[in-house]
Amino acid sequence: DSIDALFTALKELRPITFDKVARELPDSVPGDRARLALSTGVLLADGLLAVSAEKQSRLDDIGRLLLRHAKGLGVSDHITRHNKSILEKAASKDWNGIRAELIGTQRDVEKAMMALKDEEIAHLVALGGWTRGLEIAAGGRVCAQLGLCSFAGRGWWPACQ
């Protein structure tokens, strides 16, 4: 699973300075499905960062946003179960359990998208996660430096918002 590989990479990069690579979470959900899929992947990577840094309060915010994103993608049933478990595990600081739930979340979203014959959207979720993971691994703001923030118009890349 791609998210599992990202977890492994983040673990090898410790210590990661959370404040250097954290970003403001969006207030709204993108209306466009492609941007919504990218943003979902970015949020999953932000969740991995929060787990790596053991930031419980950040997971609460990311969980709420992921539910809103999943609803927009039509896969909220697949996220709700994982989200509840993530929040329960965060309350007890079960970081390995949270990691397993995030991996399961990505897997279930991708399966649901494939079942809906929405392969392109599933790939965009993965792309969003990998690109945000690259940015985290490189110490932040790489996407801005590579021009992703201005590509195809202002606000195209979710990690830049």
Side-chain angles (χ1 to χ4, degrees):
D1 292 317
S2 60
I3 202 165
D4 193 24
L6 187 54
F7 253 126
T8 301
L10 287 175
K11 190 175 185 180
E12 291 173 8
L13 292 171
R14 283 187 177 162
I16 294 173
T17 307
F18 179 82
D19 293 333
K20 184 176 179 182
V21 295
R23 67 184 185 98
E24 290 291 322
L25 296 175
D27 293 328
S28 61
V29 176
D32 173 84
R33 282 182 56 79
R35 288 184 185 166
L36 181 60
L38 286 167
S39 184
T40 301
V42 168
L43 281 174
L44 286 167
D46 285 333
L48 295 176
L49 174 61
V51 170
S52 294
E54 299 184 356
K55 300 284 187 184
Q56 179 183 350
S57 63
R58 185 74 166 188
L59 281 174
D60 294 341
D61 296 336
I62 291 168
R64 281 189 290 278
L65 274 169
L66 273 174
L67 282 175
R68 291 174 43 207
H69 280 63
K71 184 177 180 183
L73 290 173
V75 295
S76 60
D77 292 347
H78 299 276
I79 297 287
T80 302
R81 174 179 54 89
H82 290 291
N83 192 53
K84 183 178 182 204
S85 181
I86 288 168
L87 295 177
E88 289 170 357
K89 286 174 174 42
S92 64
K93 301 190 185 323
D94 177 5
W95 301 108
N96 288 329
I98 297 168
R99 174 184 173 174
E101 285 297 332
L102 283 170
I103 292 166
T105 301
Q106 181 206 21
R107 186 180 312 117
D108 283 356
V109 167
E110 287 179 1
K111 282 182 185 176
M113 299 310 304
M114 298 303 255
L116 293 171
K117 307 284 190 238
D118 220 343
E119 186 176 345
E120 292 84 8
I121 294 296
H123 292 311
L124 288 173
V125 171
L127 176 64
W130 273 106
T131 307
R132 177 68 175 128
L134 170 65
E135 182 174 53
I136 291 167
R141 305 313 301 162
V142 168
C143 293
Q145 292 166 354
L146 293 176
L148 285 175
C149 292
S150 60
F151 180 72
R154 188 176 184 282
W156 179 81
W157 182 249
C160 300
Q161 298 172 350

